[in-house]
Amino acid sequence: MGYPPNLERYRLAAEAGLREAIGRCSGPAALAEAMAYSLLAGGKRLRPVLVLATRAVFPPGGIDPMPVACALEFVHTYSLVHDDLPALDDDDYRRGRPSCHRRFGEATAILAGDALLTQAFWLLAQAFLGRADPAGPAVIEEIAGAAGSDGMVGGQVLDTIGAGTGLDRTVLEDVHRRKTGALIRAAVRCGAILGGASRDEFAALTSYAERIGMAFQVADDVLDVTAPATELGKTPGKDAVQGKTTWATLLGVDGARRHARGLVDAAVQDLEPLGDAARDLRSLAEFFVDRTW
Ligand code: IPE
Ligand code: IPE
Ligand code: MG
Ligand code: MG
Ligand code: MG
């Protein structure tokens, strides 16, 4: 199932932005090829879509959100390339094609991931250079914090070390808040920062983001159990093979689906103070759990 039309336009814009952004990254051809292979492989682009849709809640003007949207997708793609490596999840497929290390070898995949992460911050620096707007450094702080040791990388460490040890719900929530939730939260908050959100609007959007971020990983765990590889674009059943505690093992598939639904309903409630301007964020929350890939 693809995006509804009101959201598809953000995805198409992000796709064009990413193509342009990767085209501006120079370097050895072998590296550029691996970076573009993983980046332009047709992911859902949820994080850039979140940046653009959140930015659209507010009046236009100021810093262009596209480099910010692209930077987040660069960071996310790097996280997938490294997540698939033999030392982590050892996954052969990603985004419907052989994973980066299967196609280019481990050394190139590690370095392509390194380069995608670094180029993300190069894109941000280029976009903010020479501007006095405090939104620039605020966005950098948001993305770096979400990606780093206390965010996504920290979550990956806990996920890897904790795999197979029978985590309880509180620990699982903490792992997912970091490994998946942090970048999703950053995407929404960057859109809000660029839009000049008030303190109350920022708080409402942060709560929305935290809830859909958790719902997203609940859905990912359910899809790992229920979705066919052709639709998913990655190998299903990996969590069970690795003996991982997931939302599906903790609550059962139906229980996990109900949990995700409850989170999305609460996230939609969070948007109430933003009124009709947040309509695309409402449908995006629904898409987070209705998705089949
Ligand atoms: C998959 O993310 C990895 C997790 C954080 C669970 P996505 O489901 O957003 O992957 P793409 O970007 O669409 O490939
Ligand atoms: C990975 O989580 C999250 C990242 C930070 C990349 P998973 O290991 O569950 O993601 P998939 O299922 O391989 O996409
Ligand atoms: Mg993993
Ligand atoms: Mg994985
Ligand atoms: Mg998964």
Side-chain angles (χ1 to χ4, degrees), residues 43-44 46-47 76 80 95 180 216-217 220 234 291:
K44 291 178 288 296
L46 283 170
R47 295 145 195 86
H76 169 61
L80 298 178
R95 294 178 164 172
T180 314
F216 175 81
Q217 184 64 51
D220 185 76
K234 56 188 183 184
R291 69 197 174 93

Side-chain angles (χ1 to χ4, degrees), residues 83 89 156 159 179 244:
D83 181 69
D89 287 353
Q156 288 285 70
D159 194 39
K179 109 170 173 179
K244 287 206 171 171

Side-chain angles (χ1 to χ4, degrees), residues 83-84 89 91 94 238-239 242 244:
D83 181 69
D84 290 339
D89 287 353
D91 250 312
R94 173 65 65 183
K238 284 292 295 187
D239 295 334
Q242 293 174 311
K244 287 206 171 171

Side-chain angles (χ1 to χ4, degrees), residues 19-171:
R19 217 164 275 280
E20 193 271 329
I22 194 78
R24 287 198 287 120
C25 298
S26 44
L31 179 63
E33 193 190 348
M35 290 164 72
Y37 174 86
S38 288
L39 185 77
L40 303 178
K44 291 178 288 296
R45 313 308 194 191
L46 283 170
R47 295 145 195 86
V49 168
L50 274 172
V51 173
L52 300 176
T54 306
R55 177 63 190 84
V57 168
F58 302 97
I63 292 175
D64 178 10
M66 187 55 80
V68 177
C70 290
L72 268 162
E73 187 67 16
F74 272 49
V75 172
H76 169 61
T77 302
Y78 124 76
S79 83
L80 298 178
V81 170
H82 282 191
D83 181 69
D84 290 339
L85 287 168
L88 280 94
D89 287 353
D90 194 10
D91 250 312
D92 290 346
Y93 292 98
R94 173 65 65 183
R95 294 178 164 172
R97 47 169 87 171
S99 44
C100 194
H101 69 278
R102 296 292 297 176
R103 172 74 172 73
F104 297 99
E106 259 186 81
T108 302
I110 290 168
L111 296 168
D114 292 343
L116 283 166
L117 170 60
T118 311
Q119 294 303 127
F121 288 94
W122 179 78
L123 290 174
L124 293 174
Q126 290 237 312
F128 302 154
L129 221 55
R131 303 188 68 121
D133 194 332
V139 159
I140 292 177
E141 186 194 24
E142 192 65 39
I143 296 179
S149 51
D150 198 31
M152 184 275 291
V153 173
Q156 288 285 70
V157 169
L158 297 175
D159 194 39
T160 308
I161 292 168
T165 51
L167 313 182
D168 70 20
R169 182 168 174 155
T170 314
V171 177

Side-chain angles (χ1 to χ4, degrees), residues 7 46 49-51 53-55 57 181 184-189 192 200-216 260 262-274 278-288:
L7 300 177
L46 283 170
V49 168
L50 274 172
V51 173
T54 306
R55 177 63 190 84
V57 168
I184 288 171
R185 183 175 183 268
V188 171
R189 284 162 57 107
D200 286 352
E201 288 165 338
F202 196 69
L205 286 165
T206 299
S207 176
Y208 161 84
E210 288 172 352
R211 287 181 162 129
I212 60 167
M214 193 59 71
F216 175 81
L263 286 164
V264 164
D265 291 345
V268 168
Q269 285 291 316
D270 287 330
L271 297 175
E272 203 118 300
L274 295 160
R279 61 190 172 280
D280 289 340
L281 293 182
R282 286 189 189 90
S283 33
L284 200 40
E286 302 289 341
F287 177 75
F288 262 54

